[in-house]
Amino acid sequence: MRKLFADLPPEAIANPRAADPALFAPYLAYIESSPALRWKILQRAFGVHGIHSLALFGDRA
């Protein structure tokens, strides 16, 4: 996930929960455009970690 979020501002990477959710929109669109990523991240990883947003997943990256 660090690779995926590499273009985010350093402060968003350091504290994704405090970052503007709009920063994650392009990443979410990219993930949703790929059936494999959608399954791996949005369906599988979110469920395993009990989260509902990329910012929360960023905490675990």
Side-chain angles (χ1 to χ4, degrees):
M1 290 307 296
R2 289 190 191 281
K3 250 186 187 177
L4 180 64
F5 294 144
D7 293 333
L8 282 173
E11 40 304 327
I13 292 172
N15 189 2
R17 289 178 186 229
D20 181 357
L23 289 173
F24 294 94
Y27 300 94
L28 184 58
Y30 173 73
I31 291 165
E32 288 176 335
S33 74
S34 165
L37 286 177
R38 187 172 53 245
W39 163 249
K40 290 176 186 176
I41 297 172
L42 300 182
Q43 293 174 287
R44 178 74 177 132
F46 276 26
V48 167
H49 294 288
I51 58 174
H52 61 277
S53 75
L54 287 177
L56 296 175
F57 196 68
D59 275 350
R60 288 152 174 78

